[in-house]
Amino acid sequence: MSLVLKLNGVEHTVDAEPGTPLLWVLRDELQMTGTKFGCGVASCGACTVHVDGFPMRSCITAAEDVAGAEITTIEAIGATKEGAAIQQAWEELDVVQCGYCQSGQIMSAVGLLTENPKPSVGDIHDYMDGNACRCATYQRIRAGIQRASEIMEG
Amino acid sequence: MTLNTSRRGFLKGAAAAGAVLVVGLKPNGALAAGGSTAQINPFVKIGADGRVIAIIKHFEKGQGPATGLSTLIAEEIGVTMDQIDYEFAPSNPELYANLAFGQIQGTGGSTAMANSFMQYRTAGAAARAVILDAAAQATGVDAGTLDIVDGMVTGAGTPMPLGDFVAAATELEAPAEPTLKTPDQWRLIGNPDIRRLDSKIKGDGTAMYAMDVYLPNQMIAMLARPPQQGGLVAGFDDSAAREVKGFIRAATLPNNAAVAVYAENTWAAMQAREALSVEWDLSNAETRDSTQIKAEIMAALDADAEYNVLKNDPAPMDQAAQVIEQTFYFPLLAHAAMEPLNCTIEANEDGGVTLHDGAQMPTGPHMAMAQIFDLPMDKVRINTMLAGGSFGRRATPTADYQVEAALAFVITDRTRPVKLVWSREDDMRGGYYRPAFGHKVRVGLSDTGDIVAWDHRIAGQSIMKGTAFEAFAVHDGVDHSSVEGTADTPYTIPGMHVGLTDTKKATSTLWWRSVGHTHTAHAMEVMMDMAARAAGRDPVEFRLAYLGDSTDAKRKAGVLKLAAEKGNWGNAPAGRTQGIAVHKSFGSFVAEVVEVSGTADTGIQIEKVTCAVDCGIAVNPDVIKAQIEGGVGYGLGHVMRDEITLTGGVVDQYNFPDYEPLRMRDIGAIETHIVASAEPPTGIGEPGTPPAAPALANAIAQTGTIVGVLPMINDGVEFA
Ligand code: FES
Ligand code: FES
């Protein structure tokens, strides 16, 4: 079926079978490869994108369910204040190792700072709990979120 | 395996490995006609714009070799980290062998920096020498008075960009022994402010992993594999799969190991595979439960050992006034790297093939491709992509997933590239696990609390036997990777006997971040603590008594004391307990103090881990810290709650929900201290892992619970 997806402010018409997860439309149809496949069952967070500003796991989100919504991916998140701060902090602290989980980490972290610009450690743990990092970069992710919060304060 | 990083050793090693020596290489002709980038030597390209490109012979799975080897080149040439880029080397073991592996190009055993340190510095220095010679000819100033600083040639009036001399430099021969910079001249090596070169691309979605390869007209292939290892395809029915839009076809692989499902996209491949019905021949398949595998291992610990590794047999236990005994069980573990396994194969116009792969050991798949496609080696190309983790899984002696992809491609008409994709479930159930092991240790103490006997029994499945690595790793029947970290411990342990029994093959097994040290360090360091407690002595002081005058013992003592000091050993805040462990692996020494709150009953929370590491010269200190953090997390996450189990030969776990990864809240803080050293660099990707789990076990023991069976949740430990 034909769908119109609004991705990073641009409308794309795609052909996808009903029920196809947004993840695979992004990757296979549009070659927007920044959004990653890690588990396919909403337990790792690697596929996180924003739908109308809220983080969602694109591996279990049918593309037709978000047609018409504003979808933002890692490729464009740097255009937001929170996204720019997170990316700056990530580079300052060299958060990444293999990097494969980091698109999802960043999308979730931006979601957190958008809702809560000055999160406590407990807030960070609660919000980021669904984002796994097999390289265990967690303490730098935590520090990166705190640093980004400072950057946003200016 | 010893690794000689002296200069003479490098030259000899390079010659022995059949490598073209960087020094003296005259690269005429390497410069592509009209190209703007000159290949100075196998490891260095420089553009006319002065940008340097380091050719990285190791793949990048997060451990930082791309940054590390680029640092060496940049340092020797005299450019900043902003003036250097990197590329991954093609598969060519003559040029890019791992000098620790002989003729094989590959990454593993934490050798990336250790084997490259002299080679890449020499390559950088050789490049610098020809540029300065070219500049000397152009300016008439003696090369000895010229320098390269931040990419500018200085010493002949106004500084000139080094790019001005690149074309001329390619016509010159590098000196036989280029002068290396001395440590007092280093500005990049050892600089804690150097950032990773791959940070930005991994934070903005532009980094390209093998999973991100999308070639025009490619098909996705997913395999329906047997439910139990050893099963074979007896037939299949794809009528339901044909209903899936995007399904192309299904076909049995030539080795009958699986049915390949080809589709236009990944989702269709997943759906079609789900709809496929396969009949399996399970007559030679594994049918055991993991409880049987465990029982076999535990029984072997009580029978005579098959091999006496340290022939102090029997350990003189009769001299002991007191004997402490503990058995340990280490389960099967999956690597579960974040990027599921995958690779893409396409046909080339010259009749060859290209494999796009996060290739950890390119020589293996390279040879396998040549064989499967009946091609000469030079018609097979490997395009090494970034890898989303590995922990050892991407380097199998069988090149397992690359062979699957090749078999899935070879039976097509080869007009469409084939991308083989594993799901997380495929990965979790796909074998190549850290083998299950058992240890039984009895330590005899004198009436003064000194060790007089140490009887250490190990049983488990050999990783190396029956593989291409057997000749290299197995001696007199003993697979060194089963006992490393015990028999060769830097501790001087009186009356030590180590016995090993190989158990039957239960499932395919493989190295896993830190290999044998994953279990040997645990048993050694938990026993050291138990012995210290039984002797009524402080665990740090007790260990130091067995660390004598050898260089290794002193370095091990050094990190132990440093971790104890920085971790405030013996002065845990109220409500917390501490555990310590120290271990040597991959040439490096790491000690860790784990501080926990709670008890096994109420829930243990890991509050803080303080680490000390001595890995020789610290090339990128911040990368070293990151590797210790990651190694600690990898070790602790698994030991807390992960295992792979089998029921009737079928893997019980399917995905992350039942192989729960470490989460952010699990560890409060990790602090790493690096010992200043002038020794050659040694491993860092793995050595952080071995001491973490025993340090945690020792901290929990202080709360009154001794853990012998892993994961800890199986032995009565709750985590907060
Ligand atoms: S791929 Fe979506 S949560 Fe793991
Ligand atoms: S950086 Fe490798 S999985 Fe997170």
Side-chain angles (χ1 to χ4, degrees), chain B residues 4-56:
Chain B
N4 200 334
T5 42
S6 71
R7 182 204 311 242
R8 197 166 290 281
F10 157 64
L11 292 171
K12 256 184 13 211
V20 172
L21 290 181
V22 170
V23 284
L25 181 82
K26 191 170 180 179
N28 288 350
L31 181 60
S36 60
T37 300
Q39 180 109 31
I40 304 292
N41 60 47
F43 305 99
V44 179
K45 287 191 214 172
I46 306 182
D49 59 358
R51 285 200 74 79
V52 175
I53 300 171
I55 312 297
I56 307 298

Short mmCIF file of all heavy atoms in Angstrom, two decimals, chain B residues 4-56:
data_model
loop_
_atom_site.label_atom_id
_atom_site.label_comp_id
_atom_site.label_asym_id
_atom_site.label_seq_id
_atom_site.Cartn_x
_atom_site.Cartn_y
_atom_site.Cartn_z
N ASN B 4 57.14 -9.16 19.92
CA ASN B 4 58.31 -8.34 20.09
C ASN B 4 58.05 -6.97 19.50
O ASN B 4 57.84 -6.83 18.30
CB ASN B 4 59.48 -9.01 19.37
CG ASN B 4 60.79 -8.48 19.88
OD1 ASN B 4 60.82 -7.35 20.35
ND2 ASN B 4 61.81 -9.29 19.80
N THR B 5 58.05 -6.00 20.35
CA THR B 5 57.77 -4.66 19.84
C THR B 5 59.03 -3.80 19.81
O THR B 5 58.95 -2.61 19.62
CB THR B 5 56.68 -3.96 20.66
OG1 THR B 5 56.92 -4.22 22.02
CG2 THR B 5 55.30 -4.45 20.27
N SER B 6 60.18 -4.41 20.03
CA SER B 6 61.40 -3.64 19.82
C SER B 6 61.53 -3.42 18.32
O SER B 6 60.94 -4.12 17.52
CB SER B 6 62.62 -4.40 20.32
OG SER B 6 62.88 -5.49 19.45
N ARG B 7 62.32 -2.45 17.94
CA ARG B 7 62.41 -2.15 16.52
C ARG B 7 63.00 -3.34 15.75
O ARG B 7 62.49 -3.75 14.73
CB ARG B 7 63.29 -0.95 16.29
CG ARG B 7 63.29 -0.70 14.80
CD ARG B 7 64.44 0.02 14.33
NE ARG B 7 64.72 1.18 15.11
CZ ARG B 7 64.69 2.38 14.56
NH1 ARG B 7 64.20 2.53 13.38
NH2 ARG B 7 65.12 3.39 15.24
N ARG B 8 64.07 -3.91 16.30
CA ARG B 8 64.67 -5.05 15.63
C ARG B 8 63.63 -6.17 15.51
O ARG B 8 63.50 -6.81 14.48
CB ARG B 8 65.87 -5.52 16.45
CG ARG B 8 66.82 -6.40 15.71
CD ARG B 8 68.13 -6.53 16.48
NE ARG B 8 68.90 -5.30 16.49
CZ ARG B 8 69.64 -4.90 15.47
NH1 ARG B 8 69.69 -5.60 14.37
NH2 ARG B 8 70.33 -3.78 15.54
N GLY B 9 62.89 -6.34 16.59
CA GLY B 9 61.86 -7.37 16.60
C GLY B 9 60.81 -7.10 15.54
O GLY B 9 60.34 -8.00 14.87
N PHE B 10 60.47 -5.85 15.39
CA PHE B 10 59.47 -5.50 14.39
C PHE B 10 59.97 -5.87 12.99
O PHE B 10 59.28 -6.49 12.21
CB PHE B 10 59.16 -4.00 14.44
CG PHE B 10 58.60 -3.48 13.15
CD1 PHE B 10 57.38 -3.94 12.69
CD2 PHE B 10 59.32 -2.60 12.37
CE1 PHE B 10 56.86 -3.50 11.48
CE2 PHE B 10 58.81 -2.16 11.16
CZ PHE B 10 57.58 -2.61 10.72
N LEU B 11 61.23 -5.48 12.72
CA LEU B 11 61.74 -5.75 11.38
C LEU B 11 61.81 -7.24 11.13
O LEU B 11 61.40 -7.74 10.10
CB LEU B 11 63.13 -5.11 11.21
CG LEU B 11 63.11 -3.57 11.22
CD1 LEU B 11 64.52 -3.04 11.28
CD2 LEU B 11 62.37 -3.03 10.01
N LYS B 12 62.32 -7.95 12.14
CA LYS B 12 62.41 -9.40 12.00
C LYS B 12 61.02 -10.02 11.85
O LYS B 12 60.78 -10.86 11.00
CB LYS B 12 63.09 -10.00 13.24
CG LYS B 12 64.52 -10.39 12.94
CD LYS B 12 65.26 -11.09 14.07
CE LYS B 12 64.50 -11.60 15.24
NZ LYS B 12 65.28 -11.57 16.47
N GLY B 13 60.13 -9.55 12.72
CA GLY B 13 58.77 -10.09 12.71
C GLY B 13 58.10 -9.82 11.37
O GLY B 13 57.47 -10.70 10.79
N ALA B 14 58.30 -8.62 10.87
CA ALA B 14 57.67 -8.26 9.60
C ALA B 14 58.24 -9.13 8.49
O ALA B 14 57.52 -9.63 7.64
CB ALA B 14 57.92 -6.78 9.30
N ALA B 15 59.57 -9.33 8.54
CA ALA B 15 60.19 -10.15 7.50
C ALA B 15 59.70 -11.59 7.62
O ALA B 15 59.34 -12.23 6.64
CB ALA B 15 61.71 -10.10 7.63
N ALA B 16 59.64 -12.07 8.86
CA ALA B 16 59.22 -13.45 9.06
C ALA B 16 57.79 -13.65 8.58
O ALA B 16 57.43 -14.69 8.06
CB ALA B 16 59.33 -13.80 10.54
N ALA B 17 56.97 -12.64 8.76
CA ALA B 17 55.57 -12.77 8.37
C ALA B 17 55.41 -12.56 6.87
O ALA B 17 54.31 -12.59 6.34
CB ALA B 17 54.73 -11.74 9.13
N GLY B 18 56.53 -12.33 6.18
CA GLY B 18 56.46 -12.14 4.73
C GLY B 18 55.89 -10.80 4.35
O GLY B 18 55.49 -10.57 3.22
N ALA B 19 55.85 -9.88 5.31
CA ALA B 19 55.27 -8.57 5.02
C ALA B 19 56.26 -7.73 4.22
O ALA B 19 57.46 -7.85 4.39
CB ALA B 19 54.93 -7.86 6.32
N VAL B 20 55.74 -6.94 3.33
CA VAL B 20 56.59 -5.96 2.66
C VAL B 20 57.02 -4.95 3.70
O VAL B 20 56.20 -4.41 4.42
CB VAL B 20 55.81 -5.27 1.53
CG1 VAL B 20 56.62 -4.12 0.96
CG2 VAL B 20 55.46 -6.27 0.45
N LEU B 21 58.28 -4.72 3.80
CA LEU B 21 58.73 -3.75 4.79
C LEU B 21 58.32 -2.36 4.35
O LEU B 21 58.44 -1.99 3.19
CB LEU B 21 60.25 -3.82 4.93
CG LEU B 21 60.75 -5.09 5.60
CD1 LEU B 21 62.25 -5.05 5.70
CD2 LEU B 21 60.13 -5.24 6.97
N VAL B 22 57.85 -1.65 5.33
CA VAL B 22 57.49 -0.27 5.05
C VAL B 22 58.72 0.49 4.63
O VAL B 22 58.75 1.21 3.66
CB VAL B 22 56.93 0.36 6.33
CG1 VAL B 22 56.78 1.84 6.13
CG2 VAL B 22 55.63 -0.29 6.68
N VAL B 23 59.78 0.27 5.41
CA VAL B 23 61.00 1.02 5.15
C VAL B 23 61.59 0.53 3.83
O VAL B 23 61.61 -0.66 3.55
CB VAL B 23 62.00 0.83 6.29
CG1 VAL B 23 61.58 1.65 7.46
CG2 VAL B 23 62.09 -0.62 6.68
N GLY B 24 62.04 1.45 3.04
CA GLY B 24 62.66 1.08 1.78
C GLY B 24 61.66 0.81 0.67
O GLY B 24 62.04 0.54 -0.45
N LEU B 25 60.39 0.90 1.00
CA LEU B 25 59.40 0.65 -0.04
C LEU B 25 59.37 1.83 -1.00
O LEU B 25 59.21 2.97 -0.59
CB LEU B 25 58.01 0.48 0.58
CG LEU B 25 56.93 0.18 -0.44
CD1 LEU B 25 56.91 -1.28 -0.79
CD2 LEU B 25 55.58 0.62 0.09
N LYS B 26 59.54 1.55 -2.25
CA LYS B 26 59.45 2.62 -3.24
C LYS B 26 58.11 2.48 -3.93
O LYS B 26 57.90 1.55 -4.70
CB LYS B 26 60.59 2.52 -4.24
CG LYS B 26 60.69 3.76 -5.11
CD LYS B 26 61.96 3.77 -5.92
CE LYS B 26 61.97 5.04 -6.76
NZ LYS B 26 63.17 5.13 -7.57
N PRO B 27 57.21 3.36 -3.66
CA PRO B 27 55.84 3.11 -4.12
C PRO B 27 55.55 3.66 -5.50
O PRO B 27 54.41 3.99 -5.79
CB PRO B 27 55.02 3.81 -3.04
CG PRO B 27 55.88 4.98 -2.66
CD PRO B 27 57.30 4.58 -2.88
N ASN B 28 56.56 3.76 -6.38
CA ASN B 28 56.24 4.26 -7.72
C ASN B 28 55.13 3.43 -8.33
O ASN B 28 55.16 2.21 -8.25
CB ASN B 28 57.47 4.18 -8.63
CG ASN B 28 58.48 5.22 -8.24
OD1 ASN B 28 58.18 6.10 -7.44
ND2 ASN B 28 59.67 5.11 -8.78
N GLY B 29 54.20 4.08 -8.94
CA GLY B 29 53.13 3.32 -9.57
C GLY B 29 51.93 3.17 -8.66
O GLY B 29 50.84 2.92 -9.11
N ALA B 30 52.17 3.33 -7.36
CA ALA B 30 51.04 3.22 -6.43
C ALA B 30 50.13 4.42 -6.59
O ALA B 30 48.97 4.40 -6.22
CB ALA B 30 51.54 3.11 -5.00
N LEU B 31 50.71 5.48 -7.13
CA LEU B 31 49.92 6.71 -7.30
C LEU B 31 49.05 6.56 -8.55
O LEU B 31 49.54 6.49 -9.65
CB LEU B 31 50.90 7.87 -7.47
CG LEU B 31 50.32 9.26 -7.63
CD1 LEU B 31 49.49 9.63 -6.41
CD2 LEU B 31 51.45 10.25 -7.82
N ALA B 32 47.78 6.49 -8.31
CA ALA B 32 46.87 6.33 -9.45
C ALA B 32 46.99 7.53 -10.37
O ALA B 32 47.09 8.66 -9.90
CB ALA B 32 45.44 6.19 -8.95
N ALA B 33 47.00 7.26 -11.67
CA ALA B 33 47.16 8.35 -12.63
C ALA B 33 46.07 9.39 -12.42
O ALA B 33 44.90 9.06 -12.38
CB ALA B 33 47.10 7.80 -14.05
N GLY B 34 46.47 10.61 -12.24
CA GLY B 34 45.50 11.68 -12.08
C GLY B 34 44.89 11.75 -10.70
O GLY B 34 44.18 12.68 -10.36
N GLY B 35 45.17 10.76 -9.86
CA GLY B 35 44.61 10.77 -8.52
C GLY B 35 45.27 11.86 -7.69
O GLY B 35 46.40 12.25 -7.95
N SER B 36 44.55 12.34 -6.70
CA SER B 36 45.13 13.42 -5.91
C SER B 36 45.66 12.90 -4.59
O SER B 36 46.17 13.65 -3.80
CB SER B 36 44.08 14.50 -5.66
OG SER B 36 43.00 13.93 -4.97
N THR B 37 45.54 11.60 -4.35
CA THR B 37 46.03 11.05 -3.10
C THR B 37 47.15 10.06 -3.38
O THR B 37 46.98 9.16 -4.19
CB THR B 37 44.90 10.33 -2.35
OG1 THR B 37 43.87 11.28 -2.10
CG2 THR B 37 45.38 9.78 -1.02
N ALA B 38 48.27 10.26 -2.73
CA ALA B 38 49.42 9.40 -2.99
C ALA B 38 49.54 8.36 -1.90
O ALA B 38 49.42 8.66 -0.72
CB ALA B 38 50.68 10.25 -3.04
N GLN B 39 49.80 7.14 -2.32
CA GLN B 39 50.05 6.07 -1.35
C GLN B 39 51.54 6.12 -1.04
O GLN B 39 52.38 5.80 -1.87
CB GLN B 39 49.68 4.71 -1.95
CG GLN B 39 49.92 3.55 -1.01
CD GLN B 39 48.64 2.93 -0.49
OE1 GLN B 39 47.62 2.93 -1.17
NE2 GLN B 39 48.69 2.41 0.72
N ILE B 40 51.85 6.53 0.17
CA ILE B 40 53.26 6.67 0.54
C ILE B 40 53.84 5.32 0.91
O ILE B 40 54.97 4.99 0.58
CB ILE B 40 53.40 7.66 1.73
CG1 ILE B 40 52.77 9.01 1.37
CG2 ILE B 40 54.85 7.82 2.14
CD1 ILE B 40 53.49 9.79 0.31
N ASN B 41 53.08 4.53 1.61
CA ASN B 41 53.47 3.16 1.94
C ASN B 41 52.18 2.43 2.32
O ASN B 41 51.10 3.04 2.29
CB ASN B 41 54.57 3.12 3.03
CG ASN B 41 54.14 3.76 4.34
OD1 ASN B 41 53.05 3.48 4.84
ND2 ASN B 41 54.99 4.63 4.89
N PRO B 42 52.22 1.15 2.65
CA PRO B 42 50.96 0.43 2.85
C PRO B 42 50.06 1.02 3.93
O PRO B 42 48.86 0.72 3.97
CB PRO B 42 51.42 -0.98 3.26
CG PRO B 42 52.77 -1.12 2.66
CD PRO B 42 53.38 0.24 2.73
N PHE B 43 50.61 1.84 4.79
CA PHE B 43 49.85 2.32 5.93
C PHE B 43 49.51 3.81 5.86
O PHE B 43 48.81 4.32 6.73
CB PHE B 43 50.61 2.02 7.23
CG PHE B 43 50.97 0.56 7.35
CD1 PHE B 43 52.24 0.10 7.03
CD2 PHE B 43 50.01 -0.36 7.74
CE1 PHE B 43 52.55 -1.25 7.10
CE2 PHE B 43 50.32 -1.72 7.83
CZ PHE B 43 51.59 -2.17 7.50
N VAL B 44 50.07 4.48 4.88
CA VAL B 44 49.91 5.94 4.82
C VAL B 44 49.60 6.40 3.41
O VAL B 44 50.31 6.04 2.47
CB VAL B 44 51.20 6.66 5.29
CG1 VAL B 44 51.02 8.18 5.21
CG2 VAL B 44 51.60 6.23 6.69
N LYS B 45 48.54 7.17 3.28
CA LYS B 45 48.28 7.91 2.05
C LYS B 45 48.25 9.38 2.43
O LYS B 45 47.82 9.74 3.52
CB LYS B 45 46.91 7.56 1.47
CG LYS B 45 46.78 6.20 0.84
CD LYS B 45 45.43 6.17 0.10
CE LYS B 45 44.79 4.83 0.12
NZ LYS B 45 43.43 4.86 -0.42
N ILE B 46 48.67 10.23 1.51
CA ILE B 46 48.58 11.67 1.77
C ILE B 46 48.04 12.35 0.52
O ILE B 46 48.48 12.07 -0.59
CB ILE B 46 49.95 12.28 2.14
CG1 ILE B 46 50.59 11.51 3.31
CG2 ILE B 46 49.79 13.76 2.52
CD1 ILE B 46 51.91 12.07 3.78
N GLY B 47 47.11 13.23 0.73
CA GLY B 47 46.55 13.99 -0.39
C GLY B 47 47.40 15.21 -0.69
O GLY B 47 48.17 15.68 0.16
N ALA B 48 47.24 15.73 -1.88
CA ALA B 48 47.95 16.96 -2.25
C ALA B 48 47.50 18.10 -1.34
O ALA B 48 48.21 19.10 -1.17
CB ALA B 48 47.67 17.30 -3.70
N ASP B 49 46.33 17.95 -0.73
CA ASP B 49 45.86 18.96 0.22
C ASP B 49 46.49 18.77 1.60
O ASP B 49 46.17 19.50 2.54
CB ASP B 49 44.33 18.91 0.33
CG ASP B 49 43.82 17.55 0.80
OD1 ASP B 49 44.66 16.63 1.00
OD2 ASP B 49 42.60 17.40 0.96
N GLY B 50 47.37 17.79 1.72
CA GLY B 50 48.07 17.59 2.98
C GLY B 50 47.32 16.72 3.97
O GLY B 50 47.85 16.41 5.04
N ARG B 51 46.12 16.30 3.62
CA ARG B 51 45.39 15.44 4.56
C ARG B 51 45.99 14.04 4.52
O ARG B 51 46.23 13.47 3.46
CB ARG B 51 43.90 15.36 4.23
CG ARG B 51 43.14 16.62 4.63
CD ARG B 51 41.65 16.37 4.77
NE ARG B 51 41.31 15.63 5.98
CZ ARG B 51 41.23 16.17 7.19
NH1 ARG B 51 41.50 17.44 7.37
NH2 ARG B 51 40.90 15.43 8.22
N VAL B 52 46.23 13.52 5.70
CA VAL B 52 46.83 12.20 5.81
C VAL B 52 45.71 11.18 6.00
O VAL B 52 44.73 11.44 6.69
CB VAL B 52 47.80 12.16 7.01
CG1 VAL B 52 48.34 10.75 7.23
CG2 VAL B 52 48.93 13.15 6.80
N ILE B 53 45.86 10.02 5.37
CA ILE B 53 44.92 8.92 5.59
C ILE B 53 45.71 7.75 6.15
O ILE B 53 46.66 7.28 5.52
CB ILE B 53 44.22 8.52 4.29
CG1 ILE B 53 43.44 9.70 3.72
CG2 ILE B 53 43.29 7.33 4.54
CD1 ILE B 53 42.89 9.45 2.33
N ALA B 54 45.32 7.30 7.33
CA ALA B 54 45.94 6.10 7.91
C ALA B 54 45.16 4.90 7.41
O ALA B 54 43.93 4.89 7.42
CB ALA B 54 45.89 6.18 9.43
N ILE B 55 45.88 3.89 6.94
CA ILE B 55 45.23 2.65 6.48
C ILE B 55 45.23 1.69 7.66
O ILE B 55 46.30 1.26 8.13
CB ILE B 55 45.98 2.01 5.29
CG1 ILE B 55 46.31 3.06 4.22
CG2 ILE B 55 45.18 0.84 4.72
CD1 ILE B 55 45.11 3.68 3.57
N ILE B 56 44.04 1.37 8.15
CA ILE B 56 43.92 0.62 9.41
C ILE B 56 43.74 -0.87 9.10
O ILE B 56 42.76 -1.27 8.47
CB ILE B 56 42.70 1.14 10.21
CG1 ILE B 56 42.78 2.66 10.38
CG2 ILE B 56 42.62 0.43 11.57
CD1 ILE B 56 43.97 3.18 11.14
#
